[in-house]
Amino acid sequence: MTAAGDANTLGRYLRARRELVQPDEAGVLDQGNRRVPGLRREEVAFLAGISSDYYNRLEQGRDKNPSEQVLRSIARALQLDEEATAYLLQIAAPARARRKRPRRPERVGEGIRALIDTWPLTPAYVHGKYMDVLAANSLAIALSPFNAPGRNGILAAFLEPEMRELHQDWEDMTARVVPYLRSVVGADIDDPRLVEILGELSLRSERFRRLWARQDVKHKASGTSLLLHPQAGPLELRYEKLLVPGTGGQTLITYHAEPGSASEERLRLLAGMYAPEHVTGTPATTARPVPRRTRP
């Protein structure tokens, strides 16, 4: 089975989150002889104030219509935060209640494309709902060729060796990107593009399989990336992820260095190495790619 899983999305989510809650954290007395990780089903049911039989039916996919009140009680028992609770409510919604629209090609508006091209010292790119890069400015591609239109951010993060060399915080970065993808995808796990991405990652990356199985949901909109660029050297850059309104999930990602820092100077030098050519929103970009680091 691929990471996209089967039809019992709710049950798989409940089980994964239940196994991550330690009994002592939930105020449950551990009397030993515990053969399962995390909480038992009956313990979750007790904490949520529902019957064990009903909770079992939910986790096994035999009851698919829990009330919001029940779901929120379970969320509290599983110690879910606001984002994870919202995700739980979303995947539990009846399929007929979800908005189904034909998938259309994702295109970046001319205004956004023109805007990022005016930022000579700010690497910026736009990706779609499933992290396909749709547009990028010259400095973003100079920072990493995997920021170029036509690439996919999460495929590159797990499958490209150069990404592990570039990201000195690769372990942290990959641990962030999986919950981020789940947060923006929501309940649309049957989209053909997503199924394609999850299938490839599940086959080729054991780390991805482990992270996806945790069912973490987190839209981390800002933070710090630690990079080791083959030409510019070490860079400590702050990233921001901004949802583009009215686009169905497109996100603008920007990077910037602390003013006056060594990273800002190195970013300035990197910008000077590459002409500020216009980058289109198509896979064929005119920006010159960063040469790969030669190996001894």
mmCIF file of all heavy atoms in Angstrom, residues 29-61:
data_model
loop_
_atom_site.group_PDB
_atom_site.id
_atom_site.type_symbol
_atom_site.label_atom_id
_atom_site.label_comp_id
_atom_site.label_asym_id
_atom_site.label_seq_id
_atom_site.Cartn_x
_atom_site.Cartn_y
_atom_site.Cartn_z
ATOM 1 N N LEU A 29 -2.685 5.714 34.199
ATOM 2 C CA LEU A 29 -1.785 4.896 35.003
ATOM 3 C C LEU A 29 -1.330 3.696 34.181
ATOM 4 O O LEU A 29 -2.139 2.906 33.694
ATOM 5 C CB LEU A 29 -2.489 4.417 36.277
ATOM 6 C CG LEU A 29 -1.663 3.525 37.225
ATOM 7 C CD1 LEU A 29 -0.447 4.299 37.740
ATOM 8 C CD2 LEU A 29 -2.522 3.029 38.371
ATOM 9 N N ASP A 30 -0.031 3.566 34.009
ATOM 10 C CA ASP A 30 0.525 2.448 33.252
ATOM 11 C C ASP A 30 0.803 1.298 34.214
ATOM 12 O O ASP A 30 1.693 1.372 35.058
ATOM 13 C CB ASP A 30 1.812 2.876 32.544
ATOM 14 C CG ASP A 30 2.313 1.817 31.579
ATOM 15 O OD1 ASP A 30 1.706 0.730 31.523
ATOM 16 O OD2 ASP A 30 3.312 2.082 30.874
ATOM 17 N N GLN A 31 0.030 0.215 34.059
ATOM 18 C CA GLN A 31 0.161 -0.921 34.968
ATOM 19 C C GLN A 31 1.039 -2.026 34.393
ATOM 20 O O GLN A 31 1.044 -3.154 34.887
ATOM 21 C CB GLN A 31 -1.234 -1.483 35.274
ATOM 22 C CG GLN A 31 -2.123 -0.476 35.997
ATOM 23 C CD GLN A 31 -3.511 -1.012 36.262
ATOM 24 O OE1 GLN A 31 -3.939 -1.992 35.652
ATOM 25 N NE2 GLN A 31 -4.211 -0.395 37.190
ATOM 26 N N GLY A 32 1.809 -1.689 33.372
ATOM 27 C CA GLY A 32 2.701 -2.680 32.778
ATOM 28 C C GLY A 32 1.993 -3.564 31.772
ATOM 29 O O GLY A 32 0.790 -3.418 31.516
ATOM 30 N N ASN A 33 2.753 -4.507 31.213
ATOM 31 C CA ASN A 33 2.214 -5.444 30.217
ATOM 32 C C ASN A 33 1.568 -4.719 29.040
ATOM 33 O O ASN A 33 0.572 -5.181 28.472
ATOM 34 C CB ASN A 33 1.187 -6.392 30.858
ATOM 35 C CG ASN A 33 1.798 -7.242 31.951
ATOM 36 O OD1 ASN A 33 2.930 -7.707 31.821
ATOM 37 N ND2 ASN A 33 1.055 -7.437 33.031
ATOM 38 N N ARG A 34 2.113 -3.561 28.691
ATOM 39 C CA ARG A 34 1.563 -2.779 27.571
ATOM 40 C C ARG A 34 2.199 -3.277 26.285
ATOM 41 O O ARG A 34 3.395 -3.133 26.067
ATOM 42 C CB ARG A 34 1.839 -1.289 27.786
ATOM 43 C CG ARG A 34 1.212 -0.375 26.743
ATOM 44 C CD ARG A 34 1.366 1.077 27.147
ATOM 45 N NE ARG A 34 0.586 1.368 28.340
ATOM 46 C CZ ARG A 34 -0.691 1.753 28.309
ATOM 47 N NH1 ARG A 34 -1.304 1.894 27.157
ATOM 48 N NH2 ARG A 34 -1.337 2.000 29.419
ATOM 49 N N ARG A 35 1.374 -3.856 25.416
ATOM 50 C CA ARG A 35 1.886 -4.467 24.196
ATOM 51 C C ARG A 35 1.735 -3.574 22.967
ATOM 52 O O ARG A 35 2.104 -3.976 21.870
ATOM 53 C CB ARG A 35 1.172 -5.797 23.947
ATOM 54 C CG ARG A 35 1.494 -6.862 24.998
ATOM 55 C CD ARG A 35 0.722 -8.129 24.732
ATOM 56 N NE ARG A 35 -0.716 -7.937 24.941
ATOM 57 C CZ ARG A 35 -1.637 -8.886 24.740
ATOM 58 N NH1 ARG A 35 -1.258 -10.085 24.320
ATOM 59 N NH2 ARG A 35 -2.902 -8.633 24.958
ATOM 60 N N VAL A 36 1.193 -2.388 23.155
ATOM 61 C CA VAL A 36 1.021 -1.471 22.028
ATOM 62 C C VAL A 36 1.678 -0.144 22.386
ATOM 63 O O VAL A 36 1.734 0.241 23.568
ATOM 64 C CB VAL A 36 -0.472 -1.242 21.698
ATOM 65 C CG1 VAL A 36 -1.124 -2.533 21.242
ATOM 66 C CG2 VAL A 36 -1.214 -0.652 22.902
ATOM 67 N N PRO A 37 2.217 0.573 21.391
ATOM 68 C CA PRO A 37 2.763 1.894 21.686
ATOM 69 C C PRO A 37 1.644 2.883 21.979
ATOM 70 O O PRO A 37 0.525 2.753 21.473
ATOM 71 C CB PRO A 37 3.490 2.263 20.383
ATOM 72 C CG PRO A 37 2.776 1.486 19.320
ATOM 73 C CD PRO A 37 2.354 0.202 19.971
ATOM 74 N N GLY A 38 1.934 3.855 22.827
ATOM 75 C CA GLY A 38 0.947 4.890 23.095
ATOM 76 C C GLY A 38 -0.222 4.401 23.921
ATOM 77 O O GLY A 38 -0.096 3.521 24.776
ATOM 78 N N LEU A 39 -1.396 4.971 23.647
ATOM 79 C CA LEU A 39 -2.606 4.630 24.388
ATOM 80 C C LEU A 39 -3.334 3.454 23.753
ATOM 81 O O LEU A 39 -3.254 3.225 22.553
ATOM 82 C CB LEU A 39 -3.559 5.840 24.409
ATOM 83 C CG LEU A 39 -3.087 7.097 25.135
ATOM 84 C CD1 LEU A 39 -4.098 8.219 24.954
ATOM 85 C CD2 LEU A 39 -2.855 6.822 26.615
ATOM 86 N N ARG A 40 -4.063 2.729 24.579
ATOM 87 C CA ARG A 40 -4.959 1.700 24.080
ATOM 88 C C ARG A 40 -6.253 2.367 23.583
ATOM 89 O O ARG A 40 -6.585 3.480 23.980
ATOM 90 C CB ARG A 40 -5.282 0.691 25.170
ATOM 91 C CG ARG A 40 -4.067 -0.052 25.735
ATOM 92 C CD ARG A 40 -4.516 -1.114 26.723
ATOM 93 N NE ARG A 40 -3.394 -1.878 27.258
ATOM 94 C CZ ARG A 40 -2.799 -1.631 28.415
ATOM 95 N NH1 ARG A 40 -3.221 -0.626 29.169
ATOM 96 N NH2 ARG A 40 -1.786 -2.378 28.824
ATOM 97 N N ARG A 41 -6.988 1.642 22.759
ATOM 98 C CA ARG A 41 -8.255 2.187 22.250
ATOM 99 C C ARG A 41 -9.206 2.528 23.399
ATOM 100 O O ARG A 41 -9.850 3.580 23.404
ATOM 101 C CB ARG A 41 -8.923 1.195 21.297
ATOM 102 C CG ARG A 41 -8.214 0.997 19.968
ATOM 103 C CD ARG A 41 -9.132 0.220 19.020
ATOM 104 N NE ARG A 41 -8.473 -0.017 17.745
ATOM 105 C CZ ARG A 41 -7.908 -1.161 17.395
ATOM 106 N NH1 ARG A 41 -7.879 -2.169 18.264
ATOM 107 N NH2 ARG A 41 -7.362 -1.311 16.208
ATOM 108 N N GLU A 42 -9.312 1.604 24.366
ATOM 109 C CA GLU A 42 -10.250 1.837 25.469
ATOM 110 C C GLU A 42 -9.834 3.035 26.320
ATOM 111 O O GLU A 42 -10.683 3.707 26.919
ATOM 112 C CB GLU A 42 -10.400 0.584 26.336
ATOM 113 C CG GLU A 42 -9.112 0.084 26.983
ATOM 114 C CD GLU A 42 -8.368 -0.935 26.128
ATOM 115 O OE1 GLU A 42 -8.579 -0.937 24.893
ATOM 116 O OE2 GLU A 42 -7.582 -1.716 26.710
ATOM 117 N N GLU A 43 -8.544 3.329 26.367
ATOM 118 C CA GLU A 43 -8.082 4.494 27.128
ATOM 119 C C GLU A 43 -8.464 5.785 26.429
ATOM 120 O O GLU A 43 -8.868 6.759 27.077
ATOM 121 C CB GLU A 43 -6.565 4.399 27.328
ATOM 122 C CG GLU A 43 -6.169 3.261 28.270
ATOM 123 C CD GLU A 43 -4.675 2.970 28.264
ATOM 124 O OE1 GLU A 43 -3.980 3.380 27.307
ATOM 125 O OE2 GLU A 43 -4.196 2.335 29.229
ATOM 126 N N VAL A 44 -8.340 5.793 25.099
ATOM 127 C CA VAL A 44 -8.784 6.975 24.350
ATOM 128 C C VAL A 44 -10.275 7.174 24.530
ATOM 129 O O VAL A 44 -10.755 8.299 24.751
ATOM 130 C CB VAL A 44 -8.437 6.830 22.852
ATOM 131 C CG1 VAL A 44 -8.998 8.007 22.060
ATOM 132 C CG2 VAL A 44 -6.937 6.735 22.649
ATOM 133 N N ALA A 45 -11.035 6.100 24.445
ATOM 134 C CA ALA A 45 -12.484 6.195 24.607
ATOM 135 C C ALA A 45 -12.850 6.742 25.983
ATOM 136 O O ALA A 45 -13.722 7.614 26.105
ATOM 137 C CB ALA A 45 -13.117 4.816 24.405
ATOM 138 N N PHE A 46 -12.180 6.244 27.024
ATOM 139 C CA PHE A 46 -12.449 6.733 28.385
ATOM 140 C C PHE A 46 -12.141 8.220 28.504
ATOM 141 O O PHE A 46 -12.936 8.995 29.039
ATOM 142 C CB PHE A 46 -11.617 5.934 29.389
ATOM 143 C CG PHE A 46 -11.722 6.455 30.794
ATOM 144 C CD1 PHE A 46 -12.832 6.186 31.576
ATOM 145 C CD2 PHE A 46 -10.700 7.237 31.335
ATOM 146 C CE1 PHE A 46 -12.927 6.687 32.879
ATOM 147 C CE2 PHE A 46 -10.791 7.749 32.624
ATOM 148 C CZ PHE A 46 -11.914 7.465 33.402
ATOM 149 N N LEU A 47 -10.978 8.636 27.987
ATOM 150 C CA LEU A 47 -10.593 10.038 28.068
ATOM 151 C C LEU A 47 -11.535 10.939 27.267
ATOM 152 O O LEU A 47 -11.754 12.098 27.618
ATOM 153 C CB LEU A 47 -9.159 10.214 27.563
ATOM 154 C CG LEU A 47 -8.064 9.585 28.426
ATOM 155 C CD1 LEU A 47 -6.731 9.628 27.696
ATOM 156 C CD2 LEU A 47 -7.956 10.305 29.775
ATOM 157 N N ALA A 48 -12.096 10.394 26.174
ATOM 158 C CA ALA A 48 -12.993 11.187 25.328
ATOM 159 C C ALA A 48 -14.435 11.131 25.814
ATOM 160 O O ALA A 48 -15.287 11.874 25.296
ATOM 161 C CB ALA A 48 -12.907 10.692 23.886
ATOM 162 N N GLY A 49 -14.724 10.250 26.772
ATOM 163 C CA GLY A 49 -16.084 10.149 27.287
ATOM 164 C C GLY A 49 -17.040 9.442 26.339
ATOM 165 O O GLY A 49 -18.238 9.760 26.312
ATOM 166 N N ILE A 50 -16.532 8.487 25.562
ATOM 167 C CA ILE A 50 -17.385 7.722 24.659
ATOM 168 C C ILE A 50 -17.152 6.232 24.934
ATOM 169 O O ILE A 50 -16.206 5.857 25.633
ATOM 170 C CB ILE A 50 -17.086 8.031 23.177
ATOM 171 C CG1 ILE A 50 -15.630 7.726 22.843
ATOM 172 C CG2 ILE A 50 -17.409 9.489 22.868
ATOM 173 C CD1 ILE A 50 -15.270 7.964 21.389
ATOM 174 N N SER A 51 -18.007 5.384 24.373
ATOM 175 C CA SER A 51 -17.860 3.955 24.622
ATOM 176 C C SER A 51 -16.693 3.385 23.826
ATOM 177 O O SER A 51 -16.363 3.868 22.734
ATOM 178 C CB SER A 51 -19.150 3.217 24.236
ATOM 179 O OG SER A 51 -19.288 3.174 22.823
ATOM 180 N N SER A 52 -16.097 2.341 24.374
ATOM 181 C CA SER A 52 -14.985 1.684 23.687
ATOM 182 C C SER A 52 -15.440 1.100 22.360
ATOM 183 O O SER A 52 -14.713 1.148 21.358
ATOM 184 C CB SER A 52 -14.399 0.579 24.569
ATOM 185 O OG SER A 52 -13.812 1.117 25.730
ATOM 186 N N ASP A 53 -16.652 0.550 22.338
ATOM 187 C CA ASP A 53 -17.155 -0.051 21.099
ATOM 188 C C ASP A 53 -17.291 1.001 20.003
ATOM 189 O O ASP A 53 -16.942 0.750 18.840
ATOM 190 C CB ASP A 53 -18.501 -0.725 21.367
ATOM 191 C CG ASP A 53 -19.081 -1.351 20.112
ATOM 192 O OD1 ASP A 53 -18.475 -2.300 19.579
ATOM 193 O OD2 ASP A 53 -20.131 -0.864 19.641
ATOM 194 N N TYR A 54 -17.791 2.175 20.383
ATOM 195 C CA TYR A 54 -17.967 3.229 19.384
ATOM 196 C C TYR A 54 -16.614 3.703 18.868
ATOM 197 O O TYR A 54 -16.427 3.884 17.652
ATOM 198 C CB TYR A 54 -18.749 4.397 19.983
ATOM 199 C CG TYR A 54 -19.003 5.514 18.989
ATOM 200 C CD1 TYR A 54 -19.627 5.251 17.770
ATOM 201 C CD2 TYR A 54 -18.613 6.818 19.270
ATOM 202 C CE1 TYR A 54 -19.850 6.268 16.862
ATOM 203 C CE2 TYR A 54 -18.843 7.840 18.359
ATOM 204 C CZ TYR A 54 -19.459 7.559 17.161
ATOM 205 O OH TYR A 54 -19.692 8.550 16.250
ATOM 206 N N TYR A 55 -15.651 3.884 19.753
ATOM 207 C CA TYR A 55 -14.331 4.315 19.293
ATOM 208 C C TYR A 55 -13.709 3.253 18.387
ATOM 209 O O TYR A 55 -13.088 3.585 17.368
ATOM 210 C CB TYR A 55 -13.396 4.607 20.471
ATOM 211 C CG TYR A 55 -12.032 5.047 19.987
ATOM 212 C CD1 TYR A 55 -11.814 6.356 19.574
ATOM 213 C CD2 TYR A 55 -10.984 4.133 19.864
ATOM 214 C CE1 TYR A 55 -10.582 6.755 19.074
ATOM 215 C CE2 TYR A 55 -9.752 4.516 19.381
ATOM 216 C CZ TYR A 55 -9.557 5.827 18.988
ATOM 217 O OH TYR A 55 -8.345 6.215 18.475
ATOM 218 N N ASN A 56 -13.868 1.976 18.741
ATOM 219 C CA ASN A 56 -13.337 0.900 17.897
ATOM 220 C C ASN A 56 -13.929 0.963 16.499
ATOM 221 O O ASN A 56 -13.225 0.760 15.499
ATOM 222 C CB ASN A 56 -13.625 -0.465 18.523
ATOM 223 C CG ASN A 56 -12.754 -0.745 19.730
ATOM 224 O OD1 ASN A 56 -11.711 -0.127 19.907
ATOM 225 N ND2 ASN A 56 -13.183 -1.675 20.572
ATOM 226 N N ARG A 57 -15.239 1.235 16.419
ATOM 227 C CA ARG A 57 -15.883 1.312 15.107
ATOM 228 C C ARG A 57 -15.320 2.469 14.293
ATOM 229 O O ARG A 57 -15.133 2.349 13.077
ATOM 230 C CB ARG A 57 -17.399 1.461 15.259
ATOM 231 C CG ARG A 57 -18.080 0.255 15.890
ATOM 232 C CD ARG A 57 -19.571 0.202 15.543
ATOM 233 N NE ARG A 57 -20.268 1.446 15.847
ATOM 234 C CZ ARG A 57 -20.823 1.720 17.022
ATOM 235 N NH1 ARG A 57 -20.727 0.829 18.019
ATOM 236 N NH2 ARG A 57 -21.453 2.852 17.228
ATOM 237 N N LEU A 58 -15.020 3.579 14.961
ATOM 238 C CA LEU A 58 -14.437 4.716 14.252
ATOM 239 C C LEU A 58 -13.058 4.374 13.705
ATOM 240 O O LEU A 58 -12.750 4.644 12.539
ATOM 241 C CB LEU A 58 -14.327 5.925 15.195
ATOM 242 C CG LEU A 58 -15.611 6.664 15.556
ATOM 243 C CD1 LEU A 58 -15.305 7.776 16.552
ATOM 244 C CD2 LEU A 58 -16.278 7.241 14.314
ATOM 245 N N GLU A 59 -12.235 3.782 14.532
ATOM 246 C CA GLU A 59 -10.865 3.486 14.112
ATOM 247 C C GLU A 59 -10.827 2.395 13.049
ATOM 248 O O GLU A 59 -9.931 2.378 12.192
ATOM 249 C CB GLU A 59 -10.011 3.100 15.320
ATOM 250 C CG GLU A 59 -8.525 3.209 15.049
ATOM 251 C CD GLU A 59 -7.676 3.110 16.296
ATOM 252 O OE1 GLU A 59 -7.695 4.058 17.122
ATOM 253 O OE2 GLU A 59 -6.985 2.078 16.452
ATOM 254 N N GLN A 60 -11.790 1.492 13.085
ATOM 255 C CA GLN A 60 -11.831 0.413 12.104
ATOM 256 C C GLN A 60 -12.571 0.800 10.822
ATOM 257 O O GLN A 60 -12.638 -0.003 9.887
ATOM 258 C CB GLN A 60 -12.492 -0.821 12.738
ATOM 259 C CG GLN A 60 -11.668 -1.431 13.869
ATOM 260 C CD GLN A 60 -12.452 -2.431 14.685
ATOM 261 O OE1 GLN A 60 -13.628 -2.716 14.407
ATOM 262 N NE2 GLN A 60 -11.815 -2.974 15.726
ATOM 263 N N GLY A 61 -13.120 2.006 10.794
ATOM 264 C CA GLY A 61 -13.815 2.467 9.599
ATOM 265 C C GLY A 61 -15.228 1.951 9.464
ATOM 266 O O GLY A 61 -15.843 2.060 8.394
#
